[in-house]
Amino acid sequence: MRWPKFMRLVIAVVILGAAAAATLLAVMPFIVSTDAIRIRVAQEISAWTGYSVELRQAPRLRVFPVLRASLSGVTLSKVSGHGAGPLMSADRIDVELSPFDALMGRLSFSETQIVRPHFNIGGPVENFSELLNAIASSNGRLGTAIRAQRALLKQGSNDDKALAAQLASQPFGRVVVRDGTISFNRPDAENDAEDKPDPQQQITALNATLEWPRTSSPATLKGSGQWRGEGTQFSLSAAQALPLLAGGMSDVSASFNATPLNLSFQGKANISDDRFFEGALGIKTPSLHGAVRWLGLPSVVGRTEIGVFSLDSTITSTSHRLKFANVEMTTDESPAKGVIEIGFEREQPAVTGTLAFEKLDLRRLFSIFVPLPDNRPRSPNERDQNSRDMIDTSFIDRAELDLRLSAQNATAGPITLTGVAAAVQIRGGRAIFDIGDARAFDGIVQANLQIVRDLKSATGELRFNASDIASSQLFAALGYEKPFINGKGNISLFMKGPANRWSSLLANAQGNVSVQLNNGQMQGFSVQDFLTKAQSQRFFALERQENVALAFNRLDLKANLSEGVATLENARVDTSDGTLNLAGIVPFVDRSLALSGEVIFPGTQPEQQPDTAEGQQAETPAAKPPLHFFVGGSWDRPFISPSGPVQ
């Protein structure tokens, strides 16, 4: 069967076209001048960036599957570098060329691949702002587009706006970075080729793609890399990319993901000198301390490790202030809501805020600022015993802080509290940790700790007030399994002294303590056993007994504290069987006793009785004289020495 004449013609045209295309592709390397490509690529890169381009070798062409030119040994430097190192050096740059434009003598490329580049940030430029300003002030196309966009942002004539809009809209294309490295070098660092770069100041294995069809269109940057031993993935998109580079505002979304830290932002941004960010911020990390160390940020906290941390907030950031509103924060599974604001107007950052927690560990909160003593067993040859004994109050010099905290439930070591209102304030060399109001021990407690720091030392001041509390619950929280005194009343404590060493904190403190309890019991104390032994023995141990107690109507105690010793100013226990008075000293550092006491029995001063019917006064029984005794030994095992027998 014969093919129709029309079909034979079509097949012939296709075959001839394919042959012509194959022929053109085969001879393309001979038609297109490699020197022209080399010069053209150098001109294009220099025109876009404004930097001087050096190509050490002639390009190589590949025609399949696309026409691509490969240029080896590429260096990008400042036009007037004055000896500064290159901004970028790359093993190879691959550009995709349009075959038809090449045949017509024009070279245009839509994709540029930079293979194994090394970017040097800190040599030719100090930071991103300087790099951006350098590009904006260059004679390159990108610099021209940025300046034209800046003109559009200003109020000008319509003709000027039309010209600026034309200059601001330039084709850009796609840029791909493969296996790159970014070094953040100090400009004053010594340049020794034999020294290895600091891995903490490098991003390696960088693979990224910048999609930016035209400078007037949105731009997207996505990639991955290795930084400080961790694989990272990042993405950034700007709806108004050129206005953003020109100092204007743009809708921005960004994300940064690594094992130590995940961060996301979506909102508006301005990256000019008057930088501004506003939008939704999300932060998650398995360890806040670990993330701070990984980022290389200075730590302002103590030895306590803050673990899982997350933050979702609306953020408003300017060059001098950072505000987190609608904060939803979780620290170590403790959620909180509130507002935080950070000011950078002064040398020290100033942090203010209000946070409401569901539950709060007050001891952990305090140890964030002041590292608590580490009681882990240590080998004898360790040399950090002295440093571990020092109280570190250096946090006072690092920042100003004013945080108002509340918590439905809180703990302070073994103490459980509810309805807590607290504050942390650091300003002018003074730190204040305050519990303004909380419920504990079936009553109300308040506490205030102040640390004042000067150039030579630090002074601490503690105030504690408890109203209408159950003393047995307080003593149980302090570690006494079987509290000796059980009553309801008030307790106040004041202590002040040098805050330099943990080991001498109590021994050097001055202050006072006051206790008033009503309708309570002294557990394990038998009056009859005490009186019997006092009549027959000159020296005996006051043993605690089971299932007995001395009921009292009121207990009053006042003592002055000085150099590890409590001196009793007044100690009185009123019971139905008499009154107990104590005086002396109680060294609370070594928990010993040196007291004198007396028991005043009822009827020691009898009242005048009325006359009998015969007109004679009734006889009254003789009153018992007071019992005097001494108390020695320790808190756990006191010894009694009566000064005379009971009559």
Side-chain angles (χ1 to χ4, degrees):
M1 180 178 178
R2 296 176 59 87
W3 287 88
K5 184 176 181 180
F6 174 74
M7 292 297 297
R8 291 199 302 270
L9 180 61
V10 170
I11 293 174
V13 170
V14 171
I15 293 175
L16 290 175
T23 303
L24 287 175
L25 290 176
V27 301
M28 183 69 70
F30 302 99
I31 297 175
V32 180
S33 169
T34 56
D35 287 338
I37 294 176
R38 179 172 180 269
I39 295 173
R40 180 61 173 163
V41 169
Q43 289 176 343
E44 284 293 311
I45 296 176
S46 180
W48 272 113
T49 63
Y51 280 71
S52 175
V53 179
E54 180 182 355
L55 304 176
R56 297 188 181 91
Q57 299 181 15
R60 292 180 300 171
L61 293 180
R62 287 191 303 171
V63 297
F64 187 83
V66 295
L67 179 60
R68 176 172 294 173
S70 296
L71 301 95
S72 301
V74 183
T75 302
L76 191 65
S77 306
K78 272 189 175 181
V79 175
S80 56
H82 300 295
L87 172 67
M88 183 204 75
S89 58
D91 286 358
R92 191 176 79 247
I93 290 183
D94 295 340
V95 293
E96 289 187 6
L97 303 173
S98 169
F100 297 102
D101 285 349
L103 289 175
M104 299 300 295
R106 299 189 302 269
L107 292 180
S108 62
F109 39 88
S110 59
E111 179 178 288
T112 302
Q113 292 194 18
I114 308 175
V115 182
R116 288 182 293 278
H118 185 104
F119 297 93
N120 181 28
I121 306 298
V125 293
E126 284 284 344
N127 48 45
F128 178 77
S129 296
E130 184 175 334
L131 174 62
L132 185 60
N133 290 333
I135 295 176
S137 61
S138 71
N139 293 323
R141 293 182 184 175
L142 186 56
T144 302
I146 291 175
R147 291 194 298 274
Q149 183 62 45
R150 288 177 177 175
L152 286 174
L153 296 176
K154 297 179 180 180
Q155 295 297 326
S157 65
N158 293 332
D159 293 340
D160 292 338
K161 286 186 176 182
L163 177 59
Q166 182 180 358
L167 293 174
S169 181
Q170 300 286 334
F172 192 89
R174 179 189 298 113
V175 178
V176 179
V177 176
R178 293 168 47 193
D179 195 18
T181 301
I182 300 178
S183 295
F184 303 95
N185 300 322
R186 298 190 310 273
D188 57 346
E190 296 182 1
N191 185 15
D192 190 344
E194 296 180 357
D195 291 341
K196 294 183 179 180
D198 183 1
Q200 298 297 315
Q201 301 298 328
Q202 277 195 330
I203 298 176
T204 60
L206 177 64
N207 293 280
T209 300
L210 172 63
E211 296 277 1
W212 197 8
R214 297 187 68 86
T215 55
S216 57
S217 65
T220 301
L221 174 65
K222 294 183 178 181
S224 63
Q226 284 281 333
W227 188 37
R228 296 180 175 178
E230 297 287 348
T232 63
Q233 295 80 40
F234 58 88
S235 68
L236 173 66
S237 64
Q240 298 85 28
L242 189 61
L244 182 67
L245 296 178
M249 195 74 68
S250 173
D251 293 327
V252 170
S253 63
S255 66
F256 179 89
N257 298 306
T259 300
L261 178 68
N262 292 332
L263 184 148
S264 64
F265 172 80
Q266 186 163 2
K268 296 181 179 296
N270 182 312
I271 58 175
S272 65
D273 292 337
D274 297 325
R275 59 182 178 272
F276 177 82
F277 295 88
E278 184 178 47
L281 175 69
I283 300 175
K284 291 183 179 180
T285 174
S287 171
L288 182 59
H289 264 61
V292 169
R293 287 194 296 267
W294 181 67
L295 292 172
L297 300 176
S299 176
V300 296
V301 297
R303 199 175 283 126
T304 296
E305 294 288 335
I306 301 178
V308 177
F309 176 84
S310 67
L311 173 70
D312 291 296
S313 170
T314 300
I315 182 176
T316 303
S317 173
T318 65
S319 56
H320 298 295
R321 188 154 293 272
L322 184 62
K323 183 177 181 179
F324 300 89
N326 304 316
V327 171
E328 294 187 5
M329 182 177 69
T330 301
T331 57
D332 291 322
E333 301 182 355
S334 178
K337 296 182 179 181
V339 177
I340 301 175
E341 193 165 350
I342 306 175
F344 301 98
E345 293 88 351
R346 302 177 183 176
E347 182 178 355
Q348 292 181 337
V351 182
T352 59
T354 302
L355 292 173
F357 289 84
E358 290 186 11
K359 56 182 179 179
L360 181 62
D361 188 337
L362 295 173
R363 185 181 187 275
R364 190 177 183 87
L365 174 66
F366 178 74
S367 64
I368 289 175
F369 300 94
V370 182
L372 296 176
D374 187 358
N375 296 321
R376 292 183 295 111
R378 301 286 179 132
S379 59
N381 60 351
E382 288 193 78
R383 301 179 180 179
D384 62 342
Q385 300 292 331
N386 184 65
S387 62
R388 290 192 297 117
D389 190 41
M390 299 294 293
I391 300 177
D392 185 2
T393 57
S394 59
F395 71 96
I396 295 178
D397 302 326
R398 298 178 186 174
E400 292 186 357
L401 188 68
D402 188 355
L403 283 179
R404 309 292 170 164
L405 310 174
S406 63
Q408 299 177 20
N409 300 281
T411 59
I415 301 174
T416 301
L417 307 98
T418 60
V420 177
V424 181
Q425 294 178 300
I426 303 172
R427 183 180 293 108
R430 181 186 297 268
I432 301 174
F433 302 88
D434 184 76
I435 300 176
D437 191 24
R439 295 199 59 84
F441 318 122
D442 286 341
I444 298 175
V445 297
Q446 297 173 324
N448 180 279
L449 173 63
Q450 296 191 34
I451 302 175
V452 181
R453 176 183 169 91
D454 55 28
L455 295 177
K456 296 182 179 180
S457 61
T459 301
E461 182 177 301
L462 171 65
R463 297 178 185 272
F464 174 80
N465 292 288
S467 303
D468 199 29
I469 67 165
S471 63
S472 59
Q473 296 185 23
L474 172 62
F475 290 132
L478 295 177
Y480 295 92
E481 296 182 0
K482 297 180 179 180
F484 178 59
I485 298 177
N486 179 10
K488 193 84 169 179
N490 306 325
I491 297 176
S492 65
L493 171 68
F494 170 74
M495 297 182 71
K496 182 178 181 179
N500 300 320
R501 293 182 177 274
W502 293 108
S503 59
S504 60
L505 194 61
L506 291 177
N508 295 330
Q510 310 284 330
N512 55 72
V513 61
S514 174
V515 180
Q516 298 92 35
L517 299 177
N518 297 311
N519 302 321
Q521 293 180 328
M522 299 176 66
Q523 300 291 336
F525 182 75
S526 172
V527 175
Q528 294 302 322
D529 181 68
F530 176 81
L531 295 178
T532 300
K533 290 181 178 179
Q535 286 179 324
S536 60
Q537 301 181 31
R538 304 301 301 172
F539 187 75
F540 62 92
L542 187 62
E543 301 286 352
R544 180 166 181 158
Q545 301 182 27
E546 297 293 335
N547 302 322
V548 297
L550 171 64
F552 61 82
N553 301 322
R554 184 175 174 86
L555 181 151
D556 288 287
L557 182 147
K558 290 184 179 181
N560 295 317
L561 310 177
S562 178
E563 298 180 352
V565 176
T567 302
L568 297 184
E569 180 181 327
N570 175 43
R572 179 187 178 97
V573 181
D574 292 324
T575 74
S576 59
D577 296 324
T579 300
L580 171 65
N581 293 313
L582 293 173
I585 62 173
V586 180
F588 53 83
V589 175
D590 58 7
R591 301 168 66 88
S592 59
L593 296 168
L595 301 171
S596 63
E598 66 173 358
V599 178
I600 300 176
F601 299 97
T604 299
Q605 296 178 347
E607 296 181 356
Q608 184 70 26
Q609 299 296 324
D611 292 340
T612 62
E614 290 78 7
Q616 297 179 351
Q617 190 178 46
E619 294 183 1
T620 58
K624 292 182 180 180
L627 170 65
H628 298 275
F629 58 92
F630 297 98
V631 184
S634 65
W635 295 11
D636 298 328
R637 189 172 173 80
F639 285 88
I640 307 299
S641 176
S643 60
V646 175
Q647 300 299 323

